[in-house]
Amino acid sequence: MAKPKKTPRPKAQTPKGFRDYFGAEVTHRAEMLSKIAAVYQRYGFDALESSAVETVEALGKFLPDVDRPNEGVFAWQEDAEGDKPGDWLALRYDLTAPLARVYAQHRNDLPMPYRRYAMGPVWRNEKPGPGRFRQFYQCDADTVGAPSVAADAEICAMLADCLEEVGIARGDYVVRVNNRKVLNGVLEMVGLNKEYPADNNLRGTVEAAYSQVMNQALNRAINADDVLRTIDKFDKVGIQGVFELLTSGRKDQSGAFIDGVGLPENDARLVLNFLTAKGSSNADTIANLRKAVAGSEIGNVGVDELELISDLLAAGGYGPDRVEIDPSVVRGLGYYTGPVFEAELTFEIKDEKGRARNFGSVAGGGRYDDLVKRFTGQEVPATGVSIGVDRLLAALAAKGRLAGEATGPVVVTVMDRDRMADYQAMVAELRQAGIRAEVYLGNPKNFGNQMKYADKRQSPVVVIEGGDEQDRGVVQIKDMVLGAQMAQDASHDEWKERKNQYEVARGDLVQAVRDILDRTS
């Protein structure tokens, strides 16, 4: 009789596109989110923790392909109930779609406007790559029900405050602001404003004027989305590269030819006039934009809104050194209908090949006035921002604003397992004094293993009390930080003069530990 096959052991590895976070990484994230939450609350925003799971119907128009509901998100279908098929459910793709559902569901109980912030993981079923994971954190703040661009200006000011609060110095960042209505005005001037049927693949329905401008020009077979995507490459390919991509095409760095959008050169220059409208001040930029969209009503409305935003920010002390009007900002999501903004870090870092490059964007957002309409049939204005948590943490690390390894707990060693109550009493005293501490709970037989454990835990202090110390009413204090420093650079004479282990009275335990922690913090 053949032996039954053993069940193979599962592989101990994280799924592709996911990662585990340990110690300092988790602590740093929590500390940063706490600082950002404090700014959000200072601005009057309330916390919201919505469900991590939504119906695909609620997320529907935000998915890459609504005909395949599990494409782009992690989705599953519930079991059928009788003749009724089970609902399709999915892990949330972002924090904005759940907000629209929450507001539509609870609008009678919520204030108008509703100001909320949300922080947490989101999941995207996309191909992972270097630095690109299927689960990541977002940190959002949104105002729902405020039609005035004063709400957009407030979001920009709050974003600047958040960056400074977490440790990005003024001068190392800029919040760049544009307006999709100005972009629409440019597209209108080049003739991309024919009637355009609703597209279920767009992420949200957009206002009527925007829908007109985003049309495919039937007589020229040029899509406005292609023009917008080309404009969005301005920072990468420059003004000449954009011109070539708007017209007949260009060769990329590999030598491959990229087809152009097909705009006539005169129309392409109108777009370039818009892209190069940025002046030496916000006032200059706004004046240049007025010239660039002089023939478009919607474009002029957009410029008026940018001017109001600039004036409101200036009144609050947020000048162009912190927030600037920049025509090159093009947010990729189709549902933006008005002002759009990005927070860009302006300092340089080294890439994997040692080349200097700007760090880039860590946050973005804008106005999306028709998001809730999907649920209610009524237009509800909204604006908000999303901070990329992992990218901002990477930026803080690049600037040296994060501590290296997290400081571990004080470790009380066990010299006599029959005296565990005495050791627990020491730990209790330390904890009551607000000091992180623990008793060694492994096998105490080998004292060397206890010291190795304390070292691996990055413990700043080890407390030792054997029978002799107990009889004399003292404890041994071992300064692990000083010991590590001496091991690196201390001479033999310094070893004699600077002792990293010494006795203190048992009653002075807490103060002795605190003195070391204060010195090393």
Side-chain angles (χ1 to χ4, degrees), residues 148-151 153-154 306-318:
S148 170
V149 293
E154 180 183 61
L306 287 176
E307 185 171 36
L308 178 56
I309 289 173
S310 178
D311 291 345
L312 291 172
L313 289 168
Y318 298 84

Side-chain angles (χ1 to χ4, degrees), residues 180-189 210 213-214 296 298:
R180 292 302 293 263
K181 292 176 183 176
V182 182
L183 277 168
N184 297 345
V186 173
L187 296 176
E188 184 178 61
M189 293 177 65
Y210 180 73
V213 174
M214 293 296 290
S296 168
I298 191 174

Side-chain angles (χ1 to χ4, degrees), residues 149-210:
V149 293
D152 302 278
E154 180 183 61
I155 292 286
C156 293
M158 186 170 67
L159 179 53
D161 285 352
C162 284
L163 294 176
E164 293 182 19
E165 184 71 20
V166 302
I168 303 297
R170 200 171 300 184
D172 279 340
Y173 77 89
V174 63
V175 178
R176 305 187 298 144
V177 188
N178 196 8
N179 196 317
R180 292 302 293 263
K181 292 176 183 176
V182 182
L183 277 168
N184 297 345
V186 173
L187 296 176
E188 184 178 61
M189 293 177 65
V190 300
L192 299 182
N193 60 348
K194 301 295 182 183
E195 187 173 355
Y196 177 76
D199 185 345
N200 288 332
N201 288 328
L202 284 178
R203 294 188 171 188
T205 312
V206 290
E207 61 186 341
Y210 180 73

Side-chain angles (χ1 to χ4, degrees), residues 207-479:
E207 61 186 341
Y210 180 73
S211 297
Q212 289 181 346
V213 174
M214 293 296 290
N215 268 299
Q216 183 182 42
L218 300 179
N219 60 332
R220 287 162 51 184
I222 296 174
N223 192 291
D225 285 338
D226 294 334
V227 175
L228 290 177
R229 279 191 286 268
T230 302
I231 293 173
D232 202 21
K233 297 176 182 176
F234 176 64
D235 288 341
K236 295 181 180 179
V237 302
I239 196 69
Q240 181 60 33
V242 169
F243 179 77
E244 292 170 353
L245 290 173
L246 286 174
T247 53
S248 57
R250 70 186 295 266
K251 287 185 178 180
D252 64 14
Q253 293 180 341
S254 69
F257 187 80
I258 303 173
D259 291 333
V261 172
L263 280 179
E265 291 190 0
N266 288 340
D267 287 346
R269 290 191 179 93
L270 288 176
V271 176
L272 297 187
N273 289 340
F274 159 76
L275 271 178
T276 57
K278 185 177 177 182
S280 58
S281 67
N282 284 343
D284 287 344
T285 302
I286 289 168
N288 293 338
L289 286 174
R290 288 201 184 282
K291 295 177 183 177
V293 295
S296 168
E297 181 178 353
I298 191 174
N300 276 291
V301 170
V303 176
D304 289 342
E305 291 180 352
L306 287 176
E307 185 171 36
L308 178 56
I309 289 173
S310 178
D311 291 345
L312 291 172
L313 289 168
Y318 298 84
D321 61 323
R322 303 168 77 183
V323 185
E324 67 178 16
I325 308 300
D326 188 340
S328 68
V329 177
V330 180
R331 298 294 297 165
L333 299 181
Y335 58 69
Y336 287 130
T337 61
V340 290
F341 26 84
E342 285 186 346
E344 180 182 353
L345 303 188
T346 55
F347 58 83
E348 288 187 345
I349 60 171
K350 300 291 186 180
D351 65 14
E352 63 279 2
K353 295 184 178 180
R355 298 171 297 192
R357 63 177 181 85
N358 285 342
F359 191 91
S361 175
V362 294
R367 177 163 288 274
Y368 50 97
D369 279 348
D370 283 338
L371 199 60
V372 180
K373 188 176 180 181
R374 296 180 51 243
F375 296 93
T376 65
Q378 299 173 339
E379 294 184 1
V380 180
T383 185
V385 66
S386 180
I387 296 175
V389 174
D390 292 327
R391 278 194 57 78
L392 187 51
L393 279 173
L396 292 171
K399 293 296 288 183
R401 303 292 166 82
L402 296 178
E405 293 292 331
T407 301
V410 173
V411 172
V412 175
T413 59
V414 177
M415 306 301 291
D416 183 350
R417 68 178 70 209
D418 293 332
R419 294 182 43 239
M420 184 63 75
D422 294 335
Y423 303 129
Q424 291 288 2
M426 292 183 199
V427 165
E429 290 178 29
L430 292 168
R431 290 170 178 166
Q432 289 165 11
I435 296 172
R436 189 179 178 210
E438 66 174 72
V439 174
Y440 179 74
L441 296 177
N443 187 346
K445 186 175 182 179
N446 188 323
F447 182 73
N449 286 344
Q450 297 192 55
M451 296 304 299
K452 289 179 181 178
Y453 173 81
D455 187 58
K456 203 166 190 177
R457 294 282 280 139
Q458 299 289 320
S459 301
V461 180
V462 170
V463 179
I464 306 167
E465 187 194 61
D468 178 62
E469 284 85 9
Q470 184 193 31
D471 292 341
R472 293 188 291 115
V474 299
V475 293
Q476 295 278 342
I477 300 293
K478 189 173 183 64
D479 186 336

